[in-house]
Amino acid sequence: MKVHVQPNGKPDSVSVVKSSGQAVLDDAAVKTVSKWSFVPAKRGETPVAGYVTVPITFNLS
């Protein structure tokens, strides 16, 4: 997942970088990551917006 993180740590966009091959799993991953909070990037001591790549692994057992 590619996530754009705002200076307040909240994601404002989440996109699939590499599909799982199943739309339902990709959609679930986007929905889940959209609810997360992140530690924002900083320029000096000032939080700034930035991108992060988050790996998601599905285990269907």
Side-chain angles (χ1 to χ4, degrees), residues 3-12 36-54:
V3 183
H4 185 254
V5 179
Q6 299 176 73
N8 66 3
K10 298 293 182 187
D12 67 351
W36 291 357
S37 292
F38 294 84
V39 175
K42 288 188 176 182
R43 184 170 292 126
E45 293 298 316
T46 306
V48 295
Y51 285 93
V52 64
T53 301
V54 179

Side-chain angles (χ1 to χ4, degrees), residues 1 11 14-16 23-36 56 58:
M1 312 302 301
V14 180
S15 60
V16 176
V24 67
L25 295 178
D26 294 345
D27 292 345
V30 168
K31 185 177 178 180
T32 298
V33 173
S34 295
K35 296 177 184 176
W36 291 357
I56 302 291
F58 292 100

